[in-house]
């Protein structure tokens, strides 16, 4: 017999193996508990330990214990053996590394800051089907950012009004019409009507303007229902679906990813509710980790913030975007989405901060233009063109009336 003590999970001399999943945490131990004891409890509870010492027959035990292997101030590194995990199951992985430990009394606060994914575990997931390549595989954005818009008000428009707003925006130079996160299949704007009519409008606009356009229709719902909606999008000739990935849950995202593979559909991930996990800096799961999970489970785009230029609080957008587009054992890169309070007057600063390999989404920043949606869409496209060409917005506005009006209204201010 062997006794497993909860403080057996600390070994500061341990060097993680290449196959380990290595996680960085920030901890605040409970009163009266040392950092070492708290770190060991985290490694224990998130792998194969519990609060009490156990007595287990050595012959019956598979060694799956995690190791708290580094402590630096309030930072703790924990290495997990890959055998602890079910390959390809994001819920199972999260039940380890972001499970009971989030509410454990041994720590006052705990935040999962970053994960270093080993090759085997990363490759047990599909990753994106298209990722950044949507800009030229499904659209005609070339080297400029892809442009998207959400009709506002976010809910309440009839199908007809919704489609009209979309058509005006596409004609003004926007690539993607996007549903809002809380618009799915309500009575005032039913899913299938909106899908069919929007895609018919898309086809008309494409024919007229000679540029590919598409529609990010929000399929979010109960998983079986959501898969049926994915099939409908394919039946109607759409190229993308949108999913509220946090509210649906990662298991549902994995199911949608499989179904989208059958149809060649790209997935636009909205992150509504992410801030419940990542807004408090000392607790929860960072947006960086949520974005990593999104890439592994296979979304093609995900909202990652606006580098402080929009209406929502954001953590390290440039760093997250760099991870999403960097090397990950051959998995496709994800196209990051900047959204939330953007308007033409901040586009130059946005591209300076995040580069051009992004989607720029503006709702209020288009439909709030004094001359309406069509002019607002033109103003956003003009601001993008100016910034890509390296021309100052004010200078470009002298020749482009819609941009001039937008700059008069909003200047370069960041909204709240
Ligand atoms: O879902 C989104 O991305 C938001 O609705 C953005 O809207 P806004 O551009 O008006 O802030
Ligand atoms: Mg929204």
């Amino acid at each position: 017999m062997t006794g497993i003590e909860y403080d057996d999970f600390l070994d500061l001399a341990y060097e993680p193996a290449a196959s380990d999943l290595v996680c960085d945490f920030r901890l605040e131990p409970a009163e009266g508990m040392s950092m070492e004891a708290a770190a060991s409890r985290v490694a224990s509870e998130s792998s194969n330990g519990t609060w009490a010492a156990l007595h287990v027959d050595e012959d019956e035990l598979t060694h799956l214990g995690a190791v708290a292997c580094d402590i630096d101030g309030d930072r703790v590194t924990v290495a997990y053996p890959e055998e602890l995990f079910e390959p390809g199951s994001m819920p199972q992985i999260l039940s380890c590394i972001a499970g009971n430990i989030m509410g454990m009394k041994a720590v006052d606060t705990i935040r999962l800051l970053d994960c270093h994914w080993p090759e085997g575990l990363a490759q047990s997931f599909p990753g994106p089907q298209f990722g950044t390549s949507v800009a030229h595989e499904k659209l005609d954005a070339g080297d400029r950012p892809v442009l998207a818009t959400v009709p506002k008000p976010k809910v309440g428009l009839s199908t007809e009004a919704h489609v009209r707003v979309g058509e005006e925006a596409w004609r003004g130079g926007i690539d993607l019409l996007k549903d809002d996160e809380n618009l799915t299949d309500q009575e005032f704007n039913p899913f299938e009507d909106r899908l069919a009519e929007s895609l018919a409008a898309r086809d008309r606009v494409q024919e007229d303007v000679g540029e590919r356009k598409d529609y990010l229709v929000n399929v979010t719902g109960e998983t079986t229902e959501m898969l049926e909606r994915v099939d409908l999008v394919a039946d109607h000739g759409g190229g993308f679906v949108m999913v509220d990935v946090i509210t649906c849950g990662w298991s549902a995202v994995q199911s949608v990813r499989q179904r989208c593979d059958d149809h060649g559909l790209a997935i636009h991930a909205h992150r509504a509710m992410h801030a419940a996990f990542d807004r408090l800096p000392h607790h929860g799961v960072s947006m960086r980790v949520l974005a990593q999970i999104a890439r592994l489970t296979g979304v093609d785009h995900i909202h990652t913030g606006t580098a402080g230029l929009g209406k929502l609080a954001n953590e390290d957008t440039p760093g997250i975007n760099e991870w999403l587009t960097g090397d990950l054992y051959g998995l496709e890169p994800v196209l990051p989405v900047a959204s939330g309070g953007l308007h033409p007057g901040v586009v130059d600063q946005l591209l300076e901060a995040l580069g051009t390999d992004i989607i720029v989404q503006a709702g209020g920043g288009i439909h709030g233009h004094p001359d309406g949606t069509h002019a607002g869409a033109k103003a956003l496209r003009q601001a993008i063109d100016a910034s890509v060409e390296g021309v100052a917005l004010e200078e470009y506005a002298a020749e482009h009336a819609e941009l001039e009006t937008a700059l008069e209204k909003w200047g370069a201010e960041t909204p709240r």
Side-chain angles (χ1 to χ4, degrees), residues 150 152 154 178 180-181 270 303 311 339-342 361-365:
V150 184
K152 299 284 171 172
K154 61 203 307 181
K178 176 178 116 43
D180 227 323
E181 68 282 352
H270 195 288
H303 292 229
K311 70 182 181 187
S339 176
L342 294 177
Q361 192 293 133

Side-chain angles (χ1 to χ4, degrees), residues 4-10 37-52 64-68 78 80 101 104:
I4 302 180
E5 300 281 347
Y6 69 71
D7 57 1
D8 283 350
F9 293 80
L10 179 77
S40 185
R41 283 286 287 118
V42 167
S44 155
E45 186 68 40
S46 56
S47 57
N48 67 348
T50 187
W51 62 276
L64 295 178
V67 182
V78 179
Y80 297 87
I101 52 173
M104 193 172 67

